[in-house]
């Protein structure tokens, strides 16, 4: 089935450790996104990528890093520099052209203890 | 810079009541897209509607309707005769025509009581 797969669904890490969240899509979409969701703050954009080997910072990129080596993959690394990493992370993709909506994965809930 | 504001944090209604969700946006772009998404308890966002800035026609889809007013930078969403299954968090979003940056509002939690 076509779609966006985020793994794992739940992730626990110790404070100070880097952790990488996976996002894979088989929709042949050019654009991919990472959002962070906290209660009462909606979805805040971390990074987005319009095309392979290119990505831009969103509104809250500090403490995060991404790569886009393949069209179908856009992994997000939460580094130890991120002060408050516990959150729900959502990945999305869109065709990339104008006039298209984004499709979302089911999210990864990261808990740092 | 672009910004989406959903001033209503939570709305609670009794089944069959109508509910309107407000969305106000700010953007320097003259052409852009507006979206509404629904997030049920499962967490995955579901696309509801897309509207182009140059098309101010209102739209109705079943019990859902949308009122886009460019003059007031608003894109409001109404659920008519609400049902318990409408309980979810609803997000409004904005994307410039020539950029892929998709920005969301804080969301409105709708609770429909039986």
């Amino acid at each position: 089935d076509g779609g966006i797969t985020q793994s794992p669904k739940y992730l626990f890490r110790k404070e100070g450790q880097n952790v990488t969240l996976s996002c894979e899509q088989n929709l042949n979409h050019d654009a991919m996104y990472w959002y962070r969701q906290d209660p009462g703050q909606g979805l805040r954009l971390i990074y987005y990528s319009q095309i392979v080997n290119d990505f831009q910072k969103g509104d809250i990129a500090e403490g995060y890093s991404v790569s886009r080596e393949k069209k179908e993959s856009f992994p997000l690394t939460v580094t130890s520099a991120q002060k408050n990493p516990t959150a729900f992370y959502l990945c999305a993709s869109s065709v990339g052209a104008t006039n298209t909506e984004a499709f979302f994965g089911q999210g990864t809930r990261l808990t740092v203890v | 810079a672009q910004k989406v504001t959903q001033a209503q944090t939570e709305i609670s209604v009794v089944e069959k009541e109508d509910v309107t969700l407000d969305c106000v946006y700010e953007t320097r772009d003259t052409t852009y897209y507006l979206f509404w998404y629904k997030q049920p308890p499962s967490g995955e966002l579901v696309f509801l509607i897309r509207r182009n800035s140059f098309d101010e026609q209102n739209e109705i889809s079943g019990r859902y309707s949308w009122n886009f007013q460019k003059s007031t930078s608003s894109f409001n969403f109404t659920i008519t005769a609400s049902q318990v299954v409408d309980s979810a968090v609803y997000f409004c979003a904005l994307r410039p025509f020539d950029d892929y940056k998709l920005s969301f509002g804080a969301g409105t939690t709708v609770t429909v009581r039986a």
Side-chain angles (χ1 to χ4, degrees):
Chain A
D1 289 350
I4 301 172
T5 302
Q6 289 187 244
S7 61
K9 191 171 183 178
Y10 299 96
L11 190 55
F12 295 87
R13 278 296 182 269
K14 290 184 178 179
E15 195 171 341
Q17 289 183 336
N18 290 357
V19 59
T20 298
L21 281 59
S22 170
C23 179
E24 303 276 332
Q25 54 99 358
N26 59 5
L27 301 168
N28 199 33
H29 285 174
D30 286 320
M32 296 189 74
Y33 305 81
W34 273 106
Y35 291 89
R36 170 181 172 140
Q37 185 174 15
D38 297 282
Q41 298 198 53
L43 273 67
R44 293 184 290 168
L45 182 62
I46 305 173
Y47 270 97
Y48 64 107
S49 168
Q50 299 180 13
I51 199 169
V52 174
N53 293 322
D54 182 58
F55 49 83
Q56 288 78 41
K57 292 182 178 180
D59 299 317
I60 56 165
E62 186 175 349
Y64 299 97
S65 66
V66 293
S67 63
R68 188 83 188 277
E69 297 176 1
K70 299 186 296 182
K71 188 176 186 178
E72 58 270 22
S73 178
F74 191 42
L76 172 74
T77 297
V78 184
T79 75
S80 56
Q82 168 51 234
K83 299 302 179 190
N84 186 19
T86 295
F88 187 54
Y89 292 87
L90 283 159
C91 178
S93 71
S94 69
V95 170
T98 56
N99 206 29
T100 60
E101 64 273 18
F103 294 85
F104 282 80
Q106 292 190 321
T108 293
R109 187 165 298 279
L110 173 65
T111 302
V112 175
V113 296
Chain B
Q2 56 195 55
K3 184 180 178 181
V4 178
T5 301
Q6 294 180 253
Q8 303 150 307
T9 305
E10 296 182 30
I11 300 177
S12 181
V13 297
V14 176
E15 209 169 17
K16 297 184 183 177
E17 286 184 353
D18 297 347
V19 56
T20 295
L21 311 180
D22 298 332
C23 173
V24 175
Y25 60 91
E26 298 173 28
T27 181
R28 295 179 191 153
D29 296 278
T30 55
T31 52
Y32 46 88
Y33 300 99
L34 295 164
F35 305 84
W36 275 97
Y37 283 84
K38 175 182 180 180
Q39 185 181 39
S42 62
E44 184 176 343
L45 267 75
V46 176
F47 166 76
L48 295 178
I49 190 172
R50 175 187 63 246
R51 173 62 68 214
N52 306 330
S53 58
F54 43 86
D55 179 6
E56 291 195 61
Q57 213 171 19
N58 291 327
E59 186 160 337
I60 298 174
S61 176
R63 296 184 296 105
Y64 294 170
S65 62
W66 291 270
N67 184 339
F68 175 36
Q69 292 196 346
K70 202 168 181 178
S71 60
T72 57
S73 297
S74 65
F75 186 41
N76 297 336
F77 172 34
T78 297
I79 303 172
T80 303
S82 60
Q83 300 175 2
V84 173
V85 293
D86 295 327
S87 296
V89 183
Y90 291 86
F91 291 97
C92 182
L94 167 74
R95 204 198 91 177
F97 185 84
D98 57 358
D99 185 3
Y100 294 169
K101 185 177 183 181
L102 178 62
S103 300
F104 283 79
T108 299
T109 300
V110 173
T111 301
V112 181
R113 310 184 308 274

